[in-house]
Each structure stands twice: as structure tokens, then as C-alpha cells.
């Protein structure tokens, strides 16, 4: 699949059946796998042979789908996780532990912010949140001697801030650490962060990749470009022997291309077990088969709705990085020239109250905490996903209290606009 274009990879990547084998990826609904001898199985446990022994760590259905996402992102290794949250957690915890520090963009998804600022902080990992629009000097000043990674989102959910990936990659690399980018909203159809210097990509596959609101899931992809051994003092988990695997040194045995994902599978998946079910991986793959077709329509609808909102005098502001008036238009043209996403955020004159009444009046768009699936939905983050934040934190995260997030689905754009129009008239 490596020479084909991305549309072909969406449809056919990750799995090539042999003669007489199933055309669709088989769901291997089995917790365990049979071996003829104990030695055969022992080799798997020692990571000396490739194969499956227990679905808490790895499953063939998952691996086909992870391989497809790996091809879409242009990486060297990938794994599925049970959720996007698990992907974010593993991506950082695989290389940072108690006593370490991570630099993260302040506008990341609320769930990720909570995971980092509260739960991982309790595990002894310290985070510095930086304004993604900061200067290079300000960004460099956030690093400490114990910094192990930098984390950002291609298009932040729900702030819709476009990350200057090259600026973040340059700072990370100047300090000898990898850049991890959550590429959930852009998907590899609209942006491939590895082409701009990112080292690790994460996804909540729950969003556009599945695309039908059917299955929660996550994915981590490694670019295979970060040279762990060149910074061995920073990454002892990858560059010194793992006693729980008979002294294997991941970066030596599996090289730049495989060390990171092998360690995340062998250690973190073994110990935490946040594996995606093979059923969900199968559903995810059905979504991936049409990802390229759907993303184009999501972006078309998002832009049409954003333009309509911008022209309506009941709306106080519109945030959509594909609008020429948007602060991130130039960055979106650089990193996302084919479109950004289907999510538009805006404020209604009359603030919090007007927002709530508007949302109640909508007939096509449903109120959901979800985004990025075929059916249009909306949310008022200040009273739902971000309710643990105070007004200052909301502002710093780019989510003002009057913000309405509308996720444009795959319906007809004129129908969506007519629905918004009647809902606004009745506010
Ligand atoms: C939803 C989301 C997550 C978390 O993913 P889950 O699958 O809900 O656990 C992480 N990052 C972004 C950008 C998201 O939109």
C-alpha cells in the first residue's frame, strides 16, 4: 500500500487477504491463541517471535486496523487503544514518569487537560501549559531539564486553534524530546503531522475515523523518526534493559521504527489492559473505508454553516479556521489546505441564556457531548464537558462561557442552515 494515494489506503490499507481468504477484515473474537509447544509460546513472551497469545495485549483484527491508520499517517508502527483518553495517557506515560515534566498546549481537549493537570499530576508528572500562539522564545522558556515530551492538538477541540506544528516540533527537538500531536479533528486526510516534524500521533478514533458515533476507540502512531538512543539519558525506559522482559532494551532491539510502540504494547497494554475490542476495531475499519469521502463533506458543510453564521446579525462571533476572517486562517492554509473539520463554534448575542434556548430550538442538530459523526450535533461546553473549569481557565483554554460548538454532519448544508435559521428566530 505504500505507493498508493491516501484514498486507496483508506479503502484497502492494513489488510491483504490471501487466496480464498475473507475479503473483509475478520473479527478474531478470541481471548487466547493456541501453540504446539511451550517453547513456541515462550518466544512470544520474550519478544523473540511475532505472534499473539492474549487479547489483553494484542489481537490480529486490531493490528490490521492499526496498520491501516499507520499507513494513513505515514508512520512505522501503531496500536489501537480502548479510547482516545487511553491513547493520550499511553503516549505520554510511555516516555515520562514520576519526577518528569511535559510541555502541553493550553488549548487541548478538556478530557486531556484533566488527565494531564489532575490525574497524571497525581502520578508525579508535572505539566506546563503554554499558549499555542506564544513566541518561540516563550515556548523554549517552558522547558526544564526533566522535560520528556511536548503535546498539542492539530485542531484543538473545541477551541479550534490550529497548532503551528513546525514551531512546536522545532522547540521539542532543540530540547531533545519528541512532539506528540493529537490529530483527531484533522484526521490524516486533512493533515499528516509527521510531514511537519511531529514524532508521535494520537487519535480518538471515536470521532471522524469511526464517524458514525458507533464505537469508542483510540490509536497511537509512531513516525519512527525520533532517535531515542541519541537522548538515552532522558529515556531510560526505552534505552536501558527492561527487567520485566529479561533485560531487553527496546531501542536497541526494535530500533527507531519499532521501540516506542513495542514498549507501549509489551509494558503498558500488559499492565493497564486498555485494549480496543476486536468488534470495535471492525466497526472502526468500516468508518475508515469512507473517511476520505466523509471528511470532504464535513468540511464543505462546516464552511457553508460558518459563512452563514458570520452573515447573521444574531451571532456575536464565529470561530472556524477555514474562514478567511479567522485568526488561524493562514496556519490552516499551510497545514490543512484541503479543509479543516466540520466543527464550528460561535457565540449568540444574549450569551449563555440565548445559547441554551437556541440549542433547544434546533430540530436537526441534537444536543450531545459527541462531535465529528455523520449526524449534526451541538454542545454548550461551559455547562457540559468543561464544567470543571472556572471562567479564567475557560478563557485560557479558548472556550468562553457563551461558546456553542456545532459539529456539522453529513446532511444537506441548506437543511442545516435552515434549521439554524429557525432556531435563531425563536431565541
Ligand atoms: C474526544 C477526544 C479525545 C478523547 O477521546 P475518547 O475516545 O473520547 O476517549 C481526545 N482528544 C480529542 C481531540 C478528542 O476530541
Amino acid at each position: 500500500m505504500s505507493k498508493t494515494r491516501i484514498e486507496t489506503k483508506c479503502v484497502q490499507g492494513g489488510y491483504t487477504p490471501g487466496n480464498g481468504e475473507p475479503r473483509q477484515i475478520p473479527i478474531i473474537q478470541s481471548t487466547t491463541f493456541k501453540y504446539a509447544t511451550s517453547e513456541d509460546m515462550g518466544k512470544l513472551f520474550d519478544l523473540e517471535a511475532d505472534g499473539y497469545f492474549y487479547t489483553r495485549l494484542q489481537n490480529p483484527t486490531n493490528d490490521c486496523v492499526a496498520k491501516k491508520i499507520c499507513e494513513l499517517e505515514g508512520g512505522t508502527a501503531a496500536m489501537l487503544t480502548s479510547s482516545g483518553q487511553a491513547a493520550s495517557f499511553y503516549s505520554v506515560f510511555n516516555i515520562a514518569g514520576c519526577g518528569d515534566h511535559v510541555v502541553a498546549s493550553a488549548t487541548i481537549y478538556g478530557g486531556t487537560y484533566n488527565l494531564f493537570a489532575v490525574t497524571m499530576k497525581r502520578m508525579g508528572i508535572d505539566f506546563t501549559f503554554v499558549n499555542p500562539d506564544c513566541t518561540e522564545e516563550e515556548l523554549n522558556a517552558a522547558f526544564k531539564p526533566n522535560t520528556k515530551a511536548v503535546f498539542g492538538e492539530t485542531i484543538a477541540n473545541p477551541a479550534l486553534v490550529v497548532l503551528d506544528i513546525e514551531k512546536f516540533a522545532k522547540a521539542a527537538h532543540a530540547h531533545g524530546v519528541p512532539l506528540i500531536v493529537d490529530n483527531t479533528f484533522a484526521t490524516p486526510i486533512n493533515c499528516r503531522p509527521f510531514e511537519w516534524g511531529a514524532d508521535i500521533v494520537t487519535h480518538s478514533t471515536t470521532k471522524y475515523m469511526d464517524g458514525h458515533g458507533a464505537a469508542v476507540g483510540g490509536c497511537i502512531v509512531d513516525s519512527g523518526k525520533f532517535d531515542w538512543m541519541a537522548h538515552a539519558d532522558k529515556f531510560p525506559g526505552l534505552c536501558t534493559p527492561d527487567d520485566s522482559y529479561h533485560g531487553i532494551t527496546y531501542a536497541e532491539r526494535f530500533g527507531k521504527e519499532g521501540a516506542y510502540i513495542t514498549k507501549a504494547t509489551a509494558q503498558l497494554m500488559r499492565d493497564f489492559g486498555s485494549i480496543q475490542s476486536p468488534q470495535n476495531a471492525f466497526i472502526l475499519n468500516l468508518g475508515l473505508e469512507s473517511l476520505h469521502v466523509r471528511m470532504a463533506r464535513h468540511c464543505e458543510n462546516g464552511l457553508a454553516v460558518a459563512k452563514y453564521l458570520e452573515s447573521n446579525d444574531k451571532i456575536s462571533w464565529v470561530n472556524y479556521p477555514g474562514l478567511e476572517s479567522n485568526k488561524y486562517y493562514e496556519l490552516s492554509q499551510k497545514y490543512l489546505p484541503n479543509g479543516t473539520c466540520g466543527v464550528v463554534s460561535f457565540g449568540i448575542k444574549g450569551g449563555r441564556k440565548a445559547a441554551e434556548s437556541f440549542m433547544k430550538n434546533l430540530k436537526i442538530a441534537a444536543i450531545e457531548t459527541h462531535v465529528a459523526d455523520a449526524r449534526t450535533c451541538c454542545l454548550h461546553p461551559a455547562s457540559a464537558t468543561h464544567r470543571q473549569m472556572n471562567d479564567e481557565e475557560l478563557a485560557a483554554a479558548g472556550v468562553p462561557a457563551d461558546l456553542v460548538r456545532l459539529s456539522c454532519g453529513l446532511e444537506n448544508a441548506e437543511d442545516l442552515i435552515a434549521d439554524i435559521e429557525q432556531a435563531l428566530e425563536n431565541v
Side-chain angles (χ1 to χ4, degrees), residues 67-143:
K67 192 170 168 220
K68 175 180 281 189
I69 297 173
C70 190
E71 288 172 11
L72 294 175
E73 288 287 4
T76 57
M79 69 198 285
L80 297 188
T81 57
S82 56
S83 66
Q85 286 298 102
S88 302
F89 172 60
Y90 281 26
S91 73
V92 172
F93 197 66
N94 201 31
I95 48 175
C98 187
D100 289 337
H101 171 256
V102 174
V103 175
S105 162
T107 55
I108 51 175
Y109 172 66
T112 314
Y113 179 84
N114 223 39
L115 169 70
F116 289 174
V118 181
T119 300
M120 291 182 79
K121 194 175 166 71
R122 277 214 315 263
M123 301 170 97
I125 304 173
D126 182 26
F127 288 82
T128 298
F129 295 95
V130 296
N131 179 340
D133 302 334
C134 66
T135 64
E136 283 189 34
E137 293 70 42
E138 286 164 336
L139 183 53
N140 284 321
F143 286 80

Side-chain angles (χ1 to χ4, degrees), residues 8-42:
T8 307
K9 290 186 171 84
C10 279
V11 181
Q12 300 220 6
Y15 172 66
T16 312
N19 206 21
E21 285 178 0
R23 187 69 188 98
Q24 182 54 280
I25 295 176
I27 303 173
I28 307 297
Q29 192 66 47
S30 182
T31 58
T32 191
F33 301 83
K34 172 190 169 248
Y35 288 94
T37 69
S38 305
E39 280 142 283
D40 287 348
M41 187 174 274

Side-chain angles (χ1 to χ4, degrees), residues 105 107-108 131-134 152-168 181-183 185-186 190-191 196 319-323 326-337 339-341 343:
S105 162
T107 55
I108 51 175
N131 179 340
D133 302 334
C134 66
E153 268 170 50
T154 314
I155 306 173
N157 173 15
L160 303 178
V161 167
V162 177
L163 190 75
D164 189 344
I165 302 173
E166 282 191 318
K167 178 178 80 180
F168 273 72
V181 172
D182 179 337
N183 198 31
F185 264 31
N190 285 344
C191 178
W196 302 100
N319 182 14
Y320 184 71
L323 281 178
N326 190 270
K327 185 178 173 188
Y328 298 101
Y329 183 70
E330 265 175 42
L331 283 178
S332 79
Q333 290 303 294
K334 174 175 174 180
Y335 292 111
L336 306 132
T340 52
C341 63
V343 181

Side-chain angles (χ1 to χ4, degrees), residues 176-295:
V177 302
L179 171 63
I180 304 170
V181 172
D182 179 337
N183 198 31
T184 298
F185 264 31
T187 82
I189 301 303
N190 285 344
C191 178
R192 287 170 300 284
F194 295 156
E195 294 172 3
W196 302 100
D199 302 285
I200 312 287
V201 158
T202 62
H203 282 280
S204 165
T205 61
T206 316
K207 312 295 164 52
Y208 289 119
M209 283 191 166
D210 165 56
H212 299 79
V216 171
C219 184
I220 309 173
V221 188
D222 183 7
S223 68
K225 285 191 277 196
F226 194 83
D227 191 349
W228 307 104
M229 276 303 192
H231 307 282
D233 55 322
K234 281 191 195 292
F235 304 105
L238 283 160
C239 303
T240 59
D242 178 0
D243 291 336
S244 70
Y245 272 105
H246 311 292
I248 281 180
T249 299
Y250 294 101
E252 266 171 11
R253 175 76 79 82
F254 301 100
K256 287 194 290 193
E257 295 75 18
Y260 178 89
I261 293 293
T262 304
K263 176 178 179 288
T265 303
Q267 275 183 351
L268 301 188
M269 211 45 108
R270 177 195 63 189
D271 296 348
F272 293 114
S274 327
I275 192 98
Q276 190 166 131
S277 85
Q279 289 276 352
N280 277 7
F282 178 84
I283 293 168
L284 167 58
N285 183 59
L286 293 181
L288 290 171
E289 288 183 2
S290 63
L291 182 65
H292 54 300
V293 182
R294 293 184 291 105
M295 281 315 287

